[in-house]
Amino acid sequence: MAGVTPFGEAMLRWAPLVLSILIASPAWAQPTSTSTVRDCPTCPEMVPVRGGTFVMGAAPGEEERDGVPPHVRGRSQPQRQVVIAPFLIGRFEVTVDEFTEYQRATGHRIDAACWSEGIDGKRRQYPGITWRNPGFPQTGRDPVVCVNWFEARGYAGWLSQRTGKRYRLPSEAEWEYAARAGSAGSRPFASDPQTLCRHINFGDLALADAYKHRRDTARYGVCNDGYAFTSPVGAFPPNAFGLHDMLGNAWEWTEDCWHPTYDGAPIDHKPRYTGDCEKRSVRGGGWFNDPWRSRSAFRFRDSNGHNGNMLGFRLVRDP
Ligand SMILES: [Ca+2]
Ligand SMILES: [Ca+2]
């Protein structure tokens, strides 16, 4: 089919499934909380988070138990106690609709081809695959992906100008504090491989079916979360802070420069501006990935200019 990549062809097969799940979205998928804040009718819904103290990073032995491969262990260590000031954070990842409004209002165009993996297993920039069409079906309520770090900050800057409030990307410390929502383990819920699919959208059996060339790699979960690709934000239950999809769905950019460990990391809520500032930490794991990446402590990094169809963001706002 002209104009449709092999990747896109596989995605189209999933449109009916995605649609049927959308129609059956549970009540908590709708924004009903009265304690959240919207600075304009189409602005992201923000959840106030009280400050506090928490232990950031992976506990000794956690990565081994969770099957993290040896070559990526130790990034979330050493653990340390961190003091967090109050902030607000997006209840959801920034959506396609929200990002579309920003693009329309500013006339800014992002046409760079997005990195994605085709069903042939090749990861490349496919022509025509952009945030508007990441190569699989999305609704306006799905998280925007294929957006690089500069573009995510551009959206935050526009929103700040529009509202008079200060929107920005979260620091890693703020992100992890919000993702943990008071929990201390691998995830804020039981990490049973059989039931993980009730909690997050990750690389599950639905994805394995879409990417048959990867079926034998044993990298996917053993359950079916119902989504081969991204899911509408809020399709999975919130954590104790009322936040959805902190783990799974889209990976999320943070403000922090990449550093391979927590040696010398800040002990407060501020971002880290030492290390490799050509790359930024990304958090939460995503729809394409092995379950061990979707853990509260796991850290990865991407170049600031990288746009990938697994990677989106959510914003925080100063009080
Ligand atoms: Ca999935
Ligand atoms: Ca996420």
Side-chain angles (χ1 to χ4, degrees):
M1 196 188 316
V4 178
T5 66
F7 183 68
E9 287 179 30
M11 314 301 142
L12 291 173
R13 292 192 293 113
W14 287 90
L17 173 63
V18 171
L19 198 59
S20 66
I21 290 167
L22 263 181
I23 291 166
S25 289
W28 40 256
Q30 307 306 318
T32 55
S33 170
T34 54
S35 62
T36 59
V37 172
R38 268 191 209 277
D39 290 322
C40 70
T42 55
C43 290
E45 190 177 358
M46 307 299 287
V47 177
V49 174
R50 284 195 293 271
T53 300
F54 81 116
V55 176
M56 187 169 174
E62 178 186 303
E63 294 179 320
E64 289 80 353
R65 281 196 303 277
D66 290 345
V68 178
H71 71 282
V72 288
R73 288 179 197 162
R75 293 175 174 179
S76 309
Q77 290 168 331
Q79 283 186 302
R80 69 193 191 286
Q81 188 156 291
V82 175
V83 179
I84 299 289
F87 64 106
L88 295 88
I89 188 166
R91 184 180 176 198
F92 308 113
E93 296 149 335
V94 171
T95 66
V96 171
D97 280 347
E98 289 163 348
F99 200 75
T100 300
E101 187 187 20
Y102 156 60
Q103 293 282 291
R104 283 189 184 138
T106 61
H108 186 48
R109 286 192 63 85
I110 300 172
D111 296 322
C114 174
W115 287 88
S116 58
E117 182 171 317
I119 56 172
D120 58 359
K122 298 278 193 320
R123 187 157 185 79
R124 62 172 81 93
Q125 289 176 288
Y126 286 94
I129 300 295
T130 69
W131 70 272
R132 298 174 193 277
N133 169 28
F136 49 81
Q138 280 194 308
T139 71
R141 288 279 295 165
D142 277 46
V144 66
V145 291
C146 297
V147 174
N148 72 30
W149 181 79
F150 300 107
E151 293 155 355
R153 290 179 109 231
Y155 175 77
W158 171 74
L159 206 56
S160 299
Q161 280 190 331
R162 183 182 181 193
T163 62
K165 307 290 185 181
R166 184 175 179 240
Y167 285 87
R168 55 184 174 79
L169 288 172
S171 67
E172 276 204 85
E174 288 168 332
W175 188 95
E176 185 168 324
Y177 184 71
R180 289 189 176 281
S183 68
S186 303
R187 303 180 180 91
F189 45 82
S191 289
D192 178 351
Q194 301 288 341
T195 59
L196 202 54
C197 289
R198 297 177 193 166
H199 299 280
I200 58 172
N201 177 11
F202 69 109
D204 65 325
L205 295 178
L207 178 71
D209 194 43
Y211 284 83
K212 290 190 168 50
H213 67 283
R214 283 177 173 257
R215 178 168 273 177
D216 298 329
T217 62
R219 64 182 297 176
Y220 298 110
V222 296
C223 55
N224 188 324
D225 64 36
Y227 296 92
F229 313 107
T230 56
S231 42
V233 297
F236 290 81
N239 67 18
F241 286 177
L243 309 173
H244 297 261
D245 305 307
M246 293 296 295
L247 303 185
N249 211 11
W251 282 90
E252 300 175 25
W253 285 110
T254 73
E255 178 70 9
D256 290 45
C257 299
W258 175 249
H259 197 285
T261 72
Y262 281 148
D263 283 329
I267 55 171
D268 61 17
H269 62 279
K270 296 190 184 72
R272 187 175 200 176
Y273 287 121
T274 59
D276 182 356
C277 291
E278 299 298 312
K279 300 186 180 74
R280 303 289 162 155
S281 298
V282 298
R283 301 295 299 260
W287 61 269
F288 190 78
N289 294 117
D290 329 54
W292 53 262
R293 295 180 197 262
S294 284
R295 297 165 41 254
S296 300
F298 189 70
R299 311 170 62 228
F300 196 68
R301 76 279 176 270
D302 269 310
S303 299
N304 300 352
H306 177 78
N307 60 349
N309 71 349
M310 309 169 202
L311 184 50
F313 65 103
R314 85 177 66 211
L315 296 181
V316 300
R317 201 204 86 179
D318 290 342

